[in-house]
Every structure is written in C-alpha cells, then in structure tokens.
Amino acid sequence: MDTWKKLVGNRAFISDLGKSHEAEIGGTKTIVGRYAVWVPVEGSERHQVIEVGDDLDTLQQKYGVPIELVLKLGAFAE
C-alpha cells in the first residue's frame, strides 16, 4: 500500500485497459473507452473515475497527467 501511495498519492492518474471494450447498457451496445482518469477524493486516501475515453493525449492534457502516471492494468489478452 505504501508503494501505491508513493506512486499516485494525491495525484491524478490514468488507467489503461489495453483496448476499448464493448458493453451492453440498457439493451444498447456501447463502446467503453480504453482510458479512465482517476482523481483523488478530497479528505480521503481514495480516487474516483471522472472521465473515460479513447484519446490519451487529450485526457493527459486536460487533467495534467504525465506519461509516467498512465498505468497499464494487468496482463492484456488479445
């Protein structure tokens, strides 16, 4: 846990799912973005997702997230 706090602490980061995914929401097929922007929850040690999308450059610029804080999650199965 200390390593995680040192890595992201009170900073925004982006999770990378490896590829976009399709989900069915209310009977409608929807593309779920590859990247999720996480920001710290005020007064907490937790983070929350505030935006999901496929354009990494735009998300990085909008939220000031350096490439070092774009984190790939798990092993990707292609």
Side-chain angles (χ1 to χ4, degrees):
M1 189 61 140
D2 287 336
T3 302
W4 182 250
K5 286 181 186 179
K6 287 178 185 175
L7 179 63
V8 295
N10 287 322
R11 300 186 294 175
F13 69 93
I14 296 175
S15 59
D16 177 355
L17 297 176
K19 63 181 180 177
S20 295
H21 296 272
E22 189 175 273
E24 191 169 312
I25 301 173
T28 303
K29 288 187 178 183
T30 304
I31 299 296
V32 179
R34 173 179 176 170
Y35 303 101
V37 179
W38 296 77
V39 297
V41 175
E42 192 172 330
S44 168
E45 293 184 5
R46 303 179 73 183
H47 284 73
Q48 67 181 9
V49 174
I50 58 167
E51 187 169 347
V52 175
D54 283 318
D55 188 338
L56 178 59
D57 290 334
T58 298
L59 293 171
Q60 282 183 270
Q61 289 177 8
K62 184 174 180 179
Y63 296 100
V65 177
I67 195 67
E68 297 82 22
L69 289 176
V70 177
L71 310 175
K72 293 187 176 184
L73 301 180
F76 303 132
E78 293 296 325

